């Protein structure tokens, strides 16, 4: 049997005990099950082609869904507009949410799905006094952390 490559995605084929070629797919270092005709293929090219088609199916099936747990994820433009309407910058929202501004910007750019709690926070911030309460609680948490690190 041949040596399997150590890459994120790889395809290949190996000779089985009958001298036929069996395709395989490797994803992120984890060897996938060999598949194909029970008897294998007569050439490595046929087996590699079958492996390539299988990898394409796997990668296409992994397309991110905008739905999770039955609700629709908000878009980056929705987040951007909501922050603008609330008068909150991406930096401030990152601090309030407990993440980095870089992550907030990846949400706005639609490079990463926006977690559902972001939608919930945006709605809650529309309640009179809620945004100020969140700012106050965050400011107090930061001050408490600074006091404990100074001691």
């Amino acid at each position: 049997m041949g040596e399997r490559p150590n890459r994120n995605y790889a395809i290949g084929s190996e000779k089985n005990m009958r001298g036929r070629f069996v395709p395989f797919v490797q994803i992120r270092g984890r060897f996938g099950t060999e598949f194909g005709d029970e008897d294998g293929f007569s050439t490595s090219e046929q087996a590699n082609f079958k492996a390539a088609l299988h990898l394409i199916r796997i990668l296409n099936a992994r397309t991110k869904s905008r739905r999770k747990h039955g609700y629709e994820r908000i878009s980056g433009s929705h987040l951007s507009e909501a922050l603008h309407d609330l008068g909150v910058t991406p930096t401030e929202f990152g601090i309030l949410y407990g993440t980095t501004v870089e992550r907030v910007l990846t949400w706005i750019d639609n490079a990463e799905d926006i977690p559902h709690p972001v939608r919930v926070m945006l709605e809650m911030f529309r309640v009179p006094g809620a945004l100020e309460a969140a700012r106050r609680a965050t400011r107090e948490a930061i001050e408490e952390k600074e006091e404990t690190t100074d001691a």
Side-chain angles (χ1 to χ4, degrees):
M1 297 229 170
E3 187 176 321
R4 295 190 177 116
N6 186 12
R7 298 183 206 127
N8 281 338
Y9 303 102
I11 62 164
S13 60
E14 297 178 334
K15 274 192 177 181
N16 64 15
M17 295 177 75
R18 295 181 188 147
R20 308 271 294 171
F21 292 91
V22 179
F24 70 85
V25 172
Q26 179 179 315
I27 299 174
R28 292 201 171 99
R30 299 184 75 198
F31 178 70
T33 308
E34 295 175 350
F35 57 91
D37 290 350
E38 265 184 44
D39 295 329
F41 295 90
S42 58
T43 68
S44 62
E45 289 81 13
Q46 291 171 323
N48 289 343
F49 181 73
K50 181 75 170 183
L53 291 176
H54 189 69
L55 179 60
I56 289 168
R57 278 195 296 279
I58 290 169
L59 294 174
N60 285 334
R62 295 175 53 139
T63 303
K64 285 189 175 182
S65 171
R66 303 290 304 163
R67 296 181 72 77
K68 191 171 186 178
H69 303 295
Y71 52 76
E72 182 75 18
R73 299 282 181 133
I74 63 172
S75 67
S77 60
H78 180 119
L79 174 59
S80 181
E81 290 173 27
L83 292 178
H84 177 74
D85 293 346
L86 291 165
V88 175
T89 66
T91 301
E92 182 183 19
F93 187 76
I95 293 167
L96 294 170
Y97 189 78
T99 192
T100 63
V101 66
E102 290 84 6
R103 185 163 187 220
V104 175
L105 294 175
T106 63
W107 294 338
I108 290 171
D109 292 339
N110 289 312
E112 185 179 320
D113 280 349
I114 300 171
H116 180 66
V118 169
R119 172 183 262 172
V120 174
M121 273 182 74
L122 294 172
E123 285 301 313
M124 292 176 72
F125 286 167
R126 296 184 196 289
V127 174
L131 179 56
E132 286 309 313
R135 285 174 171 153
R136 185 173 50 256
T138 302
R139 192 171 40 251
E140 290 170 4
I142 291 170
E143 289 170 0
E144 287 174 11
K145 183 177 179 182
E146 288 173 352
E147 288 175 7
T148 59
T149 56
D150 290 341

